[in-house]
Amino acid sequence: MLTPTEKIWHNGHFIRWEDAKVHVLSHVVSYGSSVFEGIRCYSTALGPAIFRLSEHIRRLQDSAKVYRMEFAYSAGQLSEAILELIRVNKMGACYVKPVALRGYGDVGVNGIKNPIEIYIACWEWGKYLGEEALAEGVDVCVSSWNRMAPNTLPAMAKAGANYMNSQLIKMEAVANGYVEGIALDTAGYVSEGSGENIFVVRDGKIHTPPLGASVLPGITRDAIVTLARDNGIPVVETIVPREMLYIADEVFFSGTAAEITPIRSIDRITIGKGRRGPVTERLQTEFFGVINGTKPDRHGWLSPVYATAAVK
Ligand code: PMP
């Protein structure tokens, strides 16, 4: 369970955690009309620093645009609000969640006139799939649920409604004794986990499903592609048949919450040697190296909380 912090940002003001409430007849409650982000602030050599803040804000704006939601706040204002929120709550490493929702007003499906409420909360948070998962790997399954079909719910938007699909995937996986489920797209190709992108390694080459396979354009996914290329590891965005998962040398998840989590079995079939493989480990070293300051932040991914001039 999460521990409350003192303040939540709401439409330009800091309010008490307890006061961040919406009316039950708000549009979002019936229709899932929200867009949101999940962002990590790490404890780094530069003090608390946010990982890829500008990319998260951009994706939030993109998600909103798809759903015709207009924000009264610019990217710069939202970035500053996030940094200030962390300072106001005196947080170090934490998870930050901005959410924009259609609020109280009309009760019909068309919520275009309902007010857009933006909230940003932060709280302390550990490793998503467990501390051990990063080193040992996790046991997962292929879900019986598909990701959304193209032109139904847009997978590129990080919208609340999409997470009904994620819940089906996750709940089924957990009910069957797995940590997570991998969903296929409606063509039967590998898409992604309920809250993670997926990477498949075979013969030293990395494969990851393209955006057309109903995946969220993960910011960690992009970081991994960048780090792989920086390190001369070939990486391709290509359709991945289901059976490619089983015969892979390594498979891993990526995500803000999952970071880089190795997968050691899928549907009880052992992947590679049944533990974290060398490519996964190398990418973890690069990824955590940037965060820990043992590797240079070559791509300017960290925004220190206490040096606003460094915000991109
Ligand atoms: N896919 C889904 C469905 C997700 O919810 C997430 C988490 N935001 C991801 C992929 C990974 O994206 P990111 O690396 O930006 O956290």
Side-chain angles (χ1 to χ4, degrees):
M1 263 310 281
L2 84 179
T3 313
T5 52
E6 210 180 311
K7 300 285 186 192
I8 286 179
W9 186 95
H10 173 225
N11 290 354
H13 302 281
F14 289 103
I15 60 172
R16 293 189 324 142
W17 175 281
E18 302 75 34
D19 296 335
K21 292 179 180 160
V22 294
H23 193 279
V24 70
L25 291 180
S26 295
H27 194 268
V28 63
V29 176
S30 292
Y31 305 117
S33 40
S34 68
V35 295
F36 68 102
E37 276 303 316
I39 308 175
R40 261 191 201 260
C41 176
Y42 284 100
S43 175
T44 75
L46 308 166
I50 300 177
F51 187 69
R52 309 202 70 181
L53 177 57
S54 58
E55 289 84 351
H56 280 285
I57 298 292
R58 184 172 182 215
R59 189 171 63 185
L60 183 69
Q61 291 177 315
D62 288 346
S63 302
K65 190 169 186 186
V66 172
Y67 281 101
R68 303 174 193 268
M69 294 170 108
E70 285 191 18
F71 286 180
Y73 303 92
S74 67
Q77 286 171 316
L78 293 172
S79 299
E80 192 43 54
I82 289 174
L83 292 161
E84 190 58 19
L85 177 76
I86 297 171
R87 293 192 283 257
V88 162
N89 284 316
K90 302 181 187 64
M91 296 299 285
C94 60
Y95 189 80
V96 182
K97 179 165 180 158
V99 54
L101 56 92
R102 289 201 193 276
Y104 183 82
D106 286 346
V107 289
V109 167
N110 184 3
I112 203 84
K113 294 208 188 92
N114 292 39
I116 302 291
E117 311 282 354
I118 307 185
Y119 291 88
I120 311 171
C122 71
W123 61 87
E124 216 179 302
W125 214 32
K127 304 291 178 205
Y128 179 56
L129 298 173
E131 293 285 347
E132 268 181 47
L134 290 175
E136 303 294 323
V138 291
D139 301 308
V140 308
C141 61
V142 172
S143 183
S144 74
W145 295 101
N146 289 337
R147 287 292 285 163
M148 299 79 71
N151 217 23
T152 59
L153 287 170
M156 281 185 72
K158 192 169 170 64
N162 291 2
Y163 287 82
M164 292 301 271
N165 174 259
S166 290
Q167 287 176 60
L168 292 169
I169 297 163
K170 184 82 179 187
M171 289 190 297
E172 180 192 59
V174 171
N176 289 329
Y178 299 100
V179 167
E180 180 58 289
I182 301 167
L184 307 178
D185 65 17
T186 51
Y189 296 109
V190 174
S191 177
E192 61 179 349
S194 73
E196 309 86 8
N197 293 111
I198 193 161
F199 289 81
V200 178
V201 185
R202 186 161 156 115
D203 295 335
K205 188 170 167 186
I206 305 178
H207 306 72
T208 196
L211 296 184
S214 302
V215 303
L216 183 77
I219 289 160
T220 322
R221 174 184 181 274
D222 178 78
I224 288 164
V225 170
T226 304
L227 291 173
R229 293 197 172 134
D230 285 355
N231 285 276
I233 306 170
V235 44
V236 286
E237 287 183 44
T238 181
I239 52 170
V240 177
R242 174 177 182 166
E243 58 275 25
M244 181 84 170
L245 295 171
Y246 304 126
I247 61 172
D249 300 323
E250 303 176 36
V251 182
F252 61 87
F253 279 136
S254 76
T256 297
E259 298 169 310
I260 300 176
T261 299
I263 293 174
R264 65 181 177 195
S265 78
I266 303 174
D267 296 332
R268 307 275 179 232
I269 297 177
T270 302
I271 304 306
K273 297 203 164 62
R275 56 184 144 82
R276 176 174 60 189
V279 175
T280 311
E281 191 168 358
R282 176 79 195 276
L283 289 166
Q284 283 183 333
T285 305
E286 294 295 324
F287 179 81
F288 290 115
V290 172
I291 291 154
N292 299 335
T294 55
K295 305 266 178 192
D297 180 15
R298 235 178 291 123
H299 303 284
W301 285 342
L302 297 176
S303 296
V305 172
Y306 290 99
T308 45
V311 178
K312 289 184 295 143

